[in-house]
């Protein structure tokens, strides 16, 4: 079979999925280790028997629902090619909104930041790539994911420090100009968990207690002890959680509270500035 025939056949086989044409090309590029331009430039190329075998095997896994990013072991985020594995959430394009918001608020001087629950390292690495003079830490609970985030930093030549532990546990006594997190925020009963890629992603990266609010709340409460006065906390959350997150911030005296929408127009990122403990208390007298 020629490359053009494989391409057509894969599209037909993947027709029930969300993006058959893109998936077909991603799998072909991965197995042939060639850029997409090769698929267009050399339609008469005949994949070797070994390549055909690998294509068939990946197709079968995709047809069982496995995310394309787990099949190729890679996903691009903020133009960085990140290694991904079933130990981590697959970085989403919508999370790039948190990067844009962070870049717009960080001071001109070198700053200190931490990404909590970093997974692949996506948020920490994207910011380090834009602001090489910042000190960027990342915290990850799952040791396998922490090792993967470290590998991503090394492969991309981006010097972030990854600490293994639960939320603020490995940050004793440290204060930051900015704290960012894309924590688990989905309710365990949400039907969204029964379809598509999320079925294969680790529940620990997706699901939280208290209708998905438990970790978001923990981060809002604890960040007060780890933010410099005037520092920022930026949180990704579910499309229906914006008001709850804003209320959580307001109740504790955070200021400049704002919610940003994702590329689909849903409330997705809420951020606020910590005025320092004295100022937060005065505000509430
Ligand atoms: N936004 C992702 C989804 O709904 C979940 C990401 C997360 O839980 N942090 O699929």
């Amino acid at each position: 079979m020629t490359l053009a025939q494989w391409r057509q056949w894969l599209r037909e086989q993947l027709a029930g999925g969300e993006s058959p044409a893109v998936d077909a090309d991603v799998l072909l590029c991965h197995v042939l280790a060639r850029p997409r331009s090769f698929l267009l430039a050399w339609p008469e190329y005949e994949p070797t028997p070994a390549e055909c075998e690998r294509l068939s095997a990946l197709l079968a896994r995709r047809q069982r629902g496995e995310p394309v990013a787990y099949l190729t072991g890679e996903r691009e985020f903020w133009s960085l090619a990140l290694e991904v594995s079933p130990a981590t959430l697959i970085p989403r394009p919508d999370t790039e909104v948190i990067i844009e918001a962070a870049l717009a608020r960080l001071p001109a001087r070198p700053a200190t930041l931490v990404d909590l629950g970093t997974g692949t390292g996506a948020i920490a690495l994207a910011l380090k790539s834009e602001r090489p003079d910042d000190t960027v830490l990342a915290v990850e609970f799952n040791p396998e994911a922490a090792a993967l985030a470290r590998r991503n930093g090394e492969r991309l030549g981006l010097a972030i420090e990854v600490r293994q532990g639960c939320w603020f546990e490995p940050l004793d006594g440290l204060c930051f100009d900015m704290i960012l997190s894309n924590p688990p925020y989905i309710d365990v009963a949400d039907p969204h968990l029964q379809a598509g890629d999320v079925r294969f992603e680790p529940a620990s990266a997706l699901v939280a207690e208290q209708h998905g609010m438990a970790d978001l709340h923990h981060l809002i409460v604890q960040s007060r002890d780890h933010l410099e006065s005037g520092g920022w906390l930026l949180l990704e959350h579910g499309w229906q959680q914006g008001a709850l997150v804003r209320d959580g911030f307001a109740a504790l005296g955070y200021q400049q509270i704002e919610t940003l929408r994702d590329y689909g127009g849903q409330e997705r990122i809420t951020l606020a500035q910590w005025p320092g403990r004295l100022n937060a208390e005065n505000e509430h007298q």
Side-chain angles (χ1 to χ4, degrees):
M1 229 167 33
T2 65
L3 183 47
Q5 286 165 333
W6 261 106
R7 206 163 170 231
Q8 186 51 36
W9 190 68
L10 286 172
R11 285 176 186 212
E12 286 163 14
Q13 292 299 305
L14 295 167
E18 270 171 42
S19 47
V22 176
D23 290 0
D25 284 2
V26 170
L27 294 182
L28 279 167
C29 291
H30 176 67
V31 167
L32 304 178
R34 301 278 192 168
R36 193 152 172 275
S37 54
F38 180 85
L39 309 182
L40 308 168
W42 203 353
E44 70 277 17
Y45 172 79
E46 298 229 11
T48 65
E51 287 169 340
C52 292
E53 211 168 294
R54 290 184 61 207
L55 278 170
S56 302
L58 290 181
L59 172 63
R61 288 172 61 189
R62 180 65 190 139
Q63 285 175 320
R64 283 197 293 272
E66 269 189 73
V68 174
Y70 289 162
L71 300 182
T72 63
E74 201 175 273
R75 174 55 49 95
E76 197 170 291
F77 179 81
W78 201 259
S79 298
L80 304 172
L82 298 177
E83 179 189 338
V84 301
S85 87
T88 64
L89 189 82
I90 300 165
R92 314 281 205 264
D94 284 329
T95 300
E96 295 188 347
V97 173
I98 209 171
I99 307 297
E100 289 163 10
L103 293 174
R105 285 163 184 82
L106 281 163
R109 60 169 170 82
T112 54
L113 2 154
V114 63
D115 170 18
L116 296 177
T118 198
T120 57
I123 293 174
L125 292 166
L127 289 169
K128 184 69 183 176
S129 76
E130 295 290 337
R131 296 182 46 109
D133 294 335
D134 288 0
T135 302
V136 181
L137 262 68
V139 174
E140 172 55 46
F141 182 68
N142 177 333
E144 239 181 284
L148 183 126
R150 272 184 210 116
R151 275 203 301 282
N152 274 326
E154 282 158 20
R155 247 176 1 120
L156 295 164
L158 295 169
I160 61 164
E161 185 192 339
V162 181
R163 296 190 180 184
Q164 196 265 323
C166 183
W167 301 131
F168 295 93
E169 196 181 73
L171 301 177
D172 200 27
L174 291 181
C175 271
F176 299 88
D177 295 307
M178 185 174 277
I179 298 175
L180 307 101
S181 184
N182 174 14
Y185 54 70
I186 303 178
D187 180 68
V188 68
D190 190 326
H192 169 68
L193 292 169
Q194 309 307 323
D197 286 3
V198 286
R199 289 171 301 165
F200 291 82
E201 292 177 292
S204 59
L206 295 168
V207 174
E209 305 277 316
Q210 294 166 28
H211 304 293
M213 287 301 296
D215 293 301
L216 288 163
H217 261 299
H218 181 72
L219 293 168
I220 294 170
V221 170
Q222 296 296 319
S223 288
R224 297 174 303 163
D225 293 331
H226 295 276
L227 281 171
E228 304 284 0
S229 297
W232 294 90
L233 173 59
L234 286 71
L235 295 171
E236 179 170 327
H237 53 73
W239 63 287
Q240 292 168 308
Q241 292 168 329
L244 290 169
V245 174
R246 288 192 294 276
D247 290 350
F249 273 131
L252 293 177
Y254 286 82
Q255 297 173 356
Q256 313 284 343
I257 303 164
E258 196 181 332
T259 296
L260 307 173
R261 289 176 188 271
D262 62 22
Y263 300 127
Q266 307 282 7
E267 291 195 334
R268 184 64 61 192
I269 309 289
T270 295
L271 52 92
Q273 193 169 31
W274 175 242
R277 214 164 265 279
L278 274 178
N279 290 327
E281 277 160 16
N282 288 341
E283 181 106 332
H284 275 70
Q285 274 166 8

